Amino acid sequence: MSHTIPLSRYQELLVTSLAPQRRAVLLLGLGLLGNTGLQLLAPQLLRQVIDTALGAGPTRAVMTAALLYLGVTLANQALGVAVGWGSGEVGWRATNRLRGDLVRHCLRLDLPFHHATSPGALIERIDGDVGALNDFFSTFVLRLLGSALLLAGVLVALAREDWRVGLALGLFVAVALAVLGRTRGLAVAQNRAEREASADLFGALEERLGGIEDLRANGAGAYVLSRYHPIMHRAFITGRRAAMRAGAINTIGIALFALGTALALGLGVYFHWAGAFTVGTVFLIFRYTHLLERPLQQITRQIEDLQRASAGLLRVGELLETRSRLRDGGGAALPPGPLAVSFDRVSFGYAGPDAADRTIEGVSFALAPGQVLGLLGRTGSGKTTIARLLLRLYDPAAGRIALGGVDLRDLPLAEVRARIGVVTQDVHLFGATVRDNLTLFGDDIPDDRLIATLRDLGLGPWHDALPDGLDTPLAAGGGLSAGEAQLLAFARVFLRDPGLVILDEASSRLDPATERLIERAIDRLFAGRSGIVIAHRLTTVARADQIVILEGGRVAESGPRDALAADPGSRFARLLRFGREEVPA
């Protein structure tokens, strides 16, 4: 794979990222112009001080030139600080914008992508790779332009003193830039490998820390370290290689500058002995040559930054080019009120549409609007897969799924997920306030409605005990009992008012008292809505109008609940007759 990025990609990225900050970029450009002019003026004032003093000129003239030099130097430093602060601000705004775009893009990608990519690796992509682009956004063009202006200004000033000195140092600068330009792609591959190794390291850390309880309980610390050491070793080796390549570029720049300084001093001394230059002019040439150090080092540094940006840009580009296999639907709309559901010979396998081993095969059933479907089956029979297909987290390999009489593929994804409410036994809580956890960070639901919903679900005493009410922060992933978390999840669904509600083992881990609260909440939630209850406990589907029993990914039995219960030969009737609380696994 080629590691060279066309200049048009850099230009496109810069224009897109910096366009919203045109005014700030313009002010930075003006600041750089002023900074360059002051740097060129300062050596001229120093020459005047030296030649006037050595020539026994008036003290007043020496003092005036010295004070002017001091003022120019202070102004130059102040302007440099302002430009540095402004460029940092521009860089942070641009990179934060890019981070937001990447997060938004990742949230739109399908579940197979997220299953194949660890959260740690995504964090490194979104934060680490984008962080490597910070200097590219904030200083690359401005510093490169400033360096070019300073180089040109110094060479013009030297040529005005003596064309031979200007020509000699001009040739030196041309050779130096040519050498530095040859090093442009020297470390791109190493920097990219370093970023990939860093992503693997973050992914391994996330995986190990996520399972810390099981690892400690089973004494697997030694195993974790044995797997972790090779990953750390790779990160160290790739980081060292990248640093060595970057160091080689820096060494070339230092050597070139030393050569330029020697050339300038040699020319200055030669022309002074020849009587062509005063001592002040020799010092002027030395100072101007010394000024070449900064732009040459800046160009060297910008080349290093460009290489780091190239590695980050390659990986960011790969992420942005990743496309979800789920295509958003067209302009079809769902009818208001409770939604009908139908599966027509639906087959699906997580390994892919062409996989022989499928999770469900030829599943067909229909649910009328306002009715409740009880979905029963052993663990692994495909119950949760049906819910994921309904939410269109995946597309079926074969068959058709309709919601509200409309093919699921013809509906916008946002509308599908807005009209379906889901409650599972594992409730995710965010490290945010109670209000944000209820509204999922929306701001369109008044507090009165939030509090009324909590009271309707039996969470009134819990809310009254909160120290800051709805503004009370909750810990991410914890801080509530299982029952409180389940009721909070029910409140989320109530507030969304969907047309279809899916309960996936939503009360399987609750104590009897809390389960009774949940059962009353479910009755209210299903009023005027369609519902699917996924369960392996028969009591959970007592309110169902229709029953579907899955076995091995196929429909083993389906029909009206009352009819199946009255048929002594049905599987459902046998389960009821033998008093089984759970479908045997």
Side-chain angles (χ1 to χ4, degrees):
M1 177 179 176
S2 174
H3 299 293
T4 302
I5 301 177
L7 290 177
S8 59
R9 288 283 301 276
Y10 292 113
Q11 181 180 351
E12 178 185 354
L13 182 64
L14 276 168
V15 171
T16 302
S17 302
L18 298 181
Q21 304 183 73
R22 297 183 188 91
R23 182 176 298 179
V25 173
L26 178 60
L27 288 175
L28 286 176
L30 293 175
L32 274 176
L33 285 173
N35 190 255
T36 301
L38 292 176
Q39 289 183 79
L40 292 173
L41 177 60
Q44 297 285 350
L45 295 172
L46 266 182
R47 176 173 65 173
Q48 184 177 349
V49 170
I50 293 172
D51 286 345
T52 303
L54 290 178
T59 304
R60 184 181 181 86
V62 174
M63 291 298 298
T64 301
L67 288 174
L68 282 174
Y69 171 77
L70 181 61
V72 166
T73 301
L74 291 176
N76 182 44
Q77 292 297 322
L79 196 54
V81 170
V83 169
W85 180 87
S87 62
E89 184 76 9
V90 168
W92 272 110
R93 289 182 182 275
T95 50
N96 285 341
R97 182 186 179 91
L98 181 57
R99 285 187 182 95
D101 291 341
L102 284 174
V103 170
R104 191 178 302 108
H105 177 72
C106 288
L107 290 175
R108 293 171 179 167
L109 294 177
D110 51 26
L111 284 185
F113 167 82
H114 289 283
H115 289 160
T117 310
S118 71
L122 278 181
I123 290 171
E124 176 62 13
R125 284 275 184 106
I126 295 171
D127 187 63
D129 289 338
V130 173
L133 294 171
N134 180 63
D135 287 342
F136 175 70
F137 284 129
S138 62
T139 62
F140 180 77
V141 172
L142 292 173
R143 289 184 184 246
L144 195 62
L145 178 61
S147 298
L149 287 174
L150 187 57
L151 279 176
V154 168
L155 292 177
V156 168
L158 288 172
R160 289 184 61 189
E161 298 299 329
D162 189 284
W163 67 269
R164 292 164 293 184
V165 174
L167 178 62
L169 288 176
L171 291 173
F172 159 73
V173 169
V175 171
L177 289 176
V179 172
L180 292 173
R182 301 272 300 180
T183 66
R184 177 177 177 268
L186 188 63
V188 172
Q190 285 71 24
N191 274 290
R192 186 181 182 194
E194 180 189 21
R195 299 247 58 89
E196 290 175 350
S198 181
D200 292 341
L201 182 62
F202 274 89
L205 276 173
E206 180 271 334
E207 179 186 358
R208 271 59 170 183
L209 293 176
I212 190 66
E213 185 174 345
D214 290 337
L215 291 172
R216 293 182 65 181
N218 291 282
Y223 169 76
V224 169
L225 288 175
S226 68
R227 294 290 302 274
Y228 190 55
H229 283 152
I231 300 174
M232 288 193 298
H233 179 71
R234 179 171 175 259
F236 168 72
I237 293 298
T238 54
R240 185 176 63 181
R241 287 173 180 167
M244 290 179 67
R245 288 295 180 95
I249 297 173
N250 190 48
T251 301
I252 292 172
I254 293 173
L256 286 172
F257 173 70
L259 180 62
T261 301
L263 176 63
L265 286 174
L267 288 172
V269 170
Y270 171 78
F271 284 112
H272 176 66
W273 284 346
F277 288 169
T278 64
V279 174
T281 302
V282 173
F283 186 78
L284 175 74
I285 293 173
F286 172 77
R287 286 293 297 168
Y288 273 148
T289 307
H290 185 70
L291 281 179
L292 292 175
E293 177 184 9
R294 184 175 179 183
L296 287 176
Q297 286 183 343
Q298 288 282 8
I299 291 173
T300 303
R301 195 174 299 118
Q302 293 307 312
I303 291 174
E304 295 174 10
D305 291 341
L306 184 61
Q307 290 169 346
R308 284 193 291 269
S310 297
L313 184 59
L314 282 169
R315 287 165 48 80
V316 167
E318 288 173 357
L319 182 56
L320 287 174
E321 289 168 4
T322 302
R323 292 290 177 262
S324 174
R325 285 178 282 183
L326 297 175
R327 293 291 176 260
D328 207 352
L334 289 171
L339 298 173
V341 176
S342 68
F343 274 56
D344 184 14
R345 298 185 298 275
V346 173
S347 300
F348 172 77
Y350 289 101
D354 300 324
D357 185 16
R358 289 180 172 174
T359 308
I360 60 173
E361 185 73 48
V363 170
S364 296
F365 65 84
L367 177 67
Q371 288 196 331
V372 177
L373 173 71
L375 201 55
L376 292 168
R378 301 173 179 177
T379 301
S381 61
K383 305 186 300 296
T384 300
T385 297
I386 287 177
R388 290 171 176 168
L389 290 172
L390 255 178
L391 286 164
R392 214 178 162 219
L393 300 177
Y394 300 90
D395 275 338
R400 178 179 182 270
I401 302 173
L403 182 66
V406 184
D407 192 310
L408 214 56
R409 293 186 179 93
D410 295 332
L411 291 166
L413 287 170
E415 184 170 5
V416 171
R417 292 163 190 174
R419 295 295 305 280
I420 300 178
V422 182
V423 180
T424 67
Q425 61 180 329
D426 297 316
V427 179
H428 185 84
L429 298 178
F430 297 94
T433 64
V434 173
R435 180 187 294 101
D436 288 337
N437 271 281
L438 283 171
T439 64
L440 296 181
F441 303 93
D443 56 1
D444 56 342
I445 302 177
D447 288 357
D448 291 345
R449 186 182 170 198
L450 298 178
I451 296 172
T453 300
L454 292 177
R455 295 195 185 284
D456 288 344
L457 292 175
L459 285 175
W462 173 78
H463 169 265
D464 294 339
L466 294 173
D468 298 312
L470 294 176
D471 293 318
T472 302
L474 297 180
L480 299 180
S481 68
E484 291 169 341
Q486 287 287 348
L487 289 169
L488 199 65
F490 270 84
R492 288 174 177 172
V493 176
F494 269 105
L495 293 166
R496 290 175 56 194
D497 192 22
L500 172 67
V501 177
I502 301 174
L503 305 183
D504 189 356
E505 307 284 4
S507 60
S508 64
R509 292 164 52 184
L510 303 179
D511 59 87
T514 305
E515 188 170 355
R516 284 193 293 272
L517 287 174
I518 291 289
E519 291 298 318
R520 289 197 295 270
I522 291 175
D523 289 335
R524 290 190 61 248
L525 187 60
F526 282 163
R529 299 181 180 89
S530 305
I532 296 179
V533 180
I534 299 173
H536 61 266
R537 298 170 61 178
L538 295 178
T539 55
T540 312
V541 295
R543 62 174 50 79
D545 302 297
Q546 301 286 327
I547 294 292
V548 171
I549 298 178
L550 296 175
E551 185 172 314
R554 297 177 181 271
V555 176
E557 184 173 271
S558 65
R561 182 184 183 281
D562 293 341
L564 292 178
D567 181 2
S570 71
R571 292 170 180 258
F572 187 65
R574 286 200 298 271
L575 292 173
L576 294 174
R577 187 165 56 249
F578 288 111
R580 290 187 182 274
E581 171 62 15
E582 300 189 4
V583 178

